Amino acid sequence: MNNIVDIKWTPETKLVEGILPSIDQVNFKAKHTPLYIMRDSGALEQLTKDQGQAVIRTDTGAFLGRTGGRYGIAQNPEINDVLCEAIETAFNRSDRKDVELKESISDGGAFSKWTYTFPSLGAPIRQLRDATGYNAARYGQGYADTWLNFSISIVNSFNGLTPVYVTSEHQDVSCLNSLTMSFKDTTRLRHSTNIDVTKLADWMESEALNFKTKIAVWQSWANKSITSDQAAETLKLCGVSDRLTKQLMDQFEQEADSRGRSVWALASSLSFMSTHNSERFGVRGSAKKDNEARSLHARQNQVLKIMDQPAWAEMAAA
C-alpha cells in the first residue's frame, strides 16, 4: 500500500490567487522513518514496518507519532489543495468574499485542524433579550442580536488517532463560540484512500443550504424559555457528570444575562465549554502540554453527543 495519499490535483484546478488565505501553522509535511529498540546488550535493532514506524515532520524533524506499516500519511498541504478546490467549486466568489482562516495544532502538529469561515454566508439569531452583538455592523447589517457564521473545518492527524475528515461548524460571533453540528462521512477520507473533490464539493454545498434550516432550528431554541432546573435536569439526563453540570449551569447563568433563559443559552454554554480553555473550563495539563487544540476538539464531539440525546430533543421541542 502506498504511504502517500493520492489526491487528484492539477495546475488547471488552482484557485484564483488571493481568494482564500494561505495556511501557515499547518503547512508542513511528514514522513515515515524507522523505529529502533535497544536490546539488553545495548545494541539497537530496527523494527520492521509491520512492527511500527515513526512519523516525523520534514521541516523540524519533530516526532509526531508511531503508526503501523500500512498507515498512509495524508499531507496537510495536499489536503488543503483539495479542500480549496472543493470550496471554489461549491461557493461563488461572492460567497468566498473576506474568508477567514483559523489554524490550530496539538502535540507539535500530530493533531492539525484548520477552519475557513464565510462571513458572507452568515445569518442572525434573534434572542429573548437584546444582545450587544459583536461587530454587528460588519456581520449583521446593523442587527443588535447574535450572528452565526458558516465554516468548513478539516482535521488531520499523524499518529493514527483519527482519519482525515471535514466538518461544518457555525460560529457565534458575539462570543466566538463554535457549534460543530454535522460531520462528513469519514469512511471516504481515510489515510489510505483518495479524496473525491466532486463529492466533497457537493457535501459543502449541501451543508451551506442546510445551514438555513439549522438557523431556523436554533432560532426556535432562542425563542424557547427554560428554567435553570430544566436546564440542569436535561444535562444530567444526557449523561453529563454532576461536576460538569455545575460548571455548565454557572456558564448558563452568565449566558442568560444577554440571551435570556433559553435553550439557546444552554447550547451556548456547551459551545463555550467546547471552544474555550478558560478558568471555568480549563484544559487539563495544557500549562505543560501542547494539547489544547486536540482537547477542545474532543469536547466538540462530547457536545454533539449531548445534543443528540432524547432528553435534549424533548427540552428543545417547540
Side-chain angles (χ1 to χ4, degrees), residues 141-191:
Q141 304 299 318
Y143 285 105
D145 43 11
T146 196
W147 189 260
L148 293 189
N149 274 340
F150 178 78
S151 300
I152 295 291
S153 290
I154 194 156
V155 170
N156 188 24
S157 71
F158 298 90
N159 51 14
L161 294 180
T162 69
V164 182
Y165 60 89
V166 184
T167 68
S168 64
E169 299 188 7
H170 316 300
Q171 185 184 82
D172 184 339
V173 299
S174 66
C175 56
L176 302 184
N177 293 350
S178 181
L179 292 170
T180 304
M181 301 303 291
S182 56
F183 283 81
K184 176 141 175 62
D185 180 4
T186 60
T187 60
R188 299 186 183 277
L189 294 174
R190 295 194 181 278
H191 283 258

Side-chain angles (χ1 to χ4, degrees), residues 189-203:
L189 294 174
R190 295 194 181 278
H191 283 258
S192 58
T193 61
N194 297 341
I195 295 177
D196 189 317
V197 173
T198 301
K199 291 181 179 179
L200 182 57
D202 289 345
W203 174 82

Side-chain angles (χ1 to χ4, degrees), residues 39 42 53 78 96 99 113 123 191 236 245 302 312:
R39 295 299 184 185
Q53 301 177 93
E78 296 176 8
R96 303 195 305 268
V99 171
K113 178 179 179 179
H191 283 258
K236 292 179 180 180
T245 294
Q302 181 184 9
W312 182 276

Side-chain angles (χ1 to χ4, degrees), residues 245-255 269 280:
T245 294
K246 183 181 183 307
Q247 292 173 308
L248 287 167
M249 288 309 302
D250 288 342
Q251 186 66 34
F252 175 75
E253 295 302 323
Q254 184 175 327
E255 298 287 343
S269 303
R280 179 172 291 154

Side-chain angles (χ1 to χ4, degrees), residues 64-80:
L64 298 179
R66 171 179 174 172
T67 67
R70 300 184 63 181
Y71 182 85
I73 296 177
Q75 305 289 2
N76 285 349
E78 296 176 8
I79 295 171
N80 190 65

